[in-house]
Amino acid sequence: MPPTPLRPSRTRFGVIIFAVTLAIITYIDRVCISKAAPLIQNDLHISKENMGWIFGAFGLAYALFEIPGGWLGDKLGPRRVLVRGVAFWSIFTAATGYAWNLASMIVCRFLFGAGEAGCFPNLTKMFTIWLPQKERGMAQGITWFFA
């Protein structure tokens, strides 16, 4: 008698909900500083040009650490990297509120970008582990819709 195929568990829906939640949080984290920028500029006496350097620091770190973040997920597993990444970027999100000048803002935003960079490569890796191949495209589409 051939073995009975296992039915996929409902855990995969939790994985997708986790991914969507993380995508929404990363979006909010990335863009909320633009709303706060005028207040930050006023409080820290930062020009618009220097605010651009602050925005750029995040973008540079995000670009530099995207591939290493994915590689780390391949080596350590996406769950470990995502937990550490979320903790890391959360620390530097909070640290942004304690910045006292241009340099401290640039450092905080750079480190925040470095922490957030591995999120999407590791969500993709998580999908390859937890989801059947036929469901991965839909899960990616749903996640990117919310990102």
Side-chain angles (χ1 to χ4, degrees):
M1 180 176 205
T4 310
L6 297 174
R7 286 186 41 179
S9 73
R10 299 180 69 68
T11 303
R12 67 190 195 282
F13 297 116
V15 168
I16 294 169
I17 290 168
F18 171 78
V20 165
T21 303
L22 205 54
I24 292 168
I25 291 169
T26 60
Y27 174 75
I28 292 168
D29 278 350
R30 283 192 307 272
V31 302
C32 68
I33 194 168
S34 63
K35 268 308 226 192
L39 300 170
I40 293 168
Q41 287 175 255
N42 187 44
D43 190 41
L44 300 180
H45 309 291
I46 294 174
S47 68
K48 284 188 178 188
E49 292 79 16
N50 285 337
M51 201 66 206
W53 284 102
I54 293 168
F55 293 149
F58 173 86
L60 176 65
Y62 197 94
L64 290 175
F65 289 95
E66 188 84 12
I67 292 172
W71 176 83
L72 217 69
D74 288 340
K75 296 296 175 197
L76 302 177
R79 184 184 312 178
R80 287 183 177 150
V81 174
L82 285 169
V83 167
R84 286 172 175 82
V86 170
F88 190 81
W89 94 57
S90 296
I91 289 167
F92 287 100
T93 298
T96 301
Y98 292 102
W100 60 93
N101 62 15
L102 175 64
S104 64
M105 279 295 290
I106 289 173
V107 168
C108 284
R109 293 301 291 179
F110 183 87
L111 293 172
F112 169 48
E116 195 170 289
C119 179
F120 288 103
N122 282 288
L123 288 177
T124 299
K125 178 71 174 179
M126 188 176 68
F127 289 156
T128 64
I129 293 169
W130 284 92
L131 302 178
Q133 188 172 4
K134 65 181 182 175
E135 295 178 8
R136 293 177 194 161
M138 180 64 78
Q140 285 285 357
I142 292 167
T143 302
W144 282 105
F145 174 80
F146 285 96

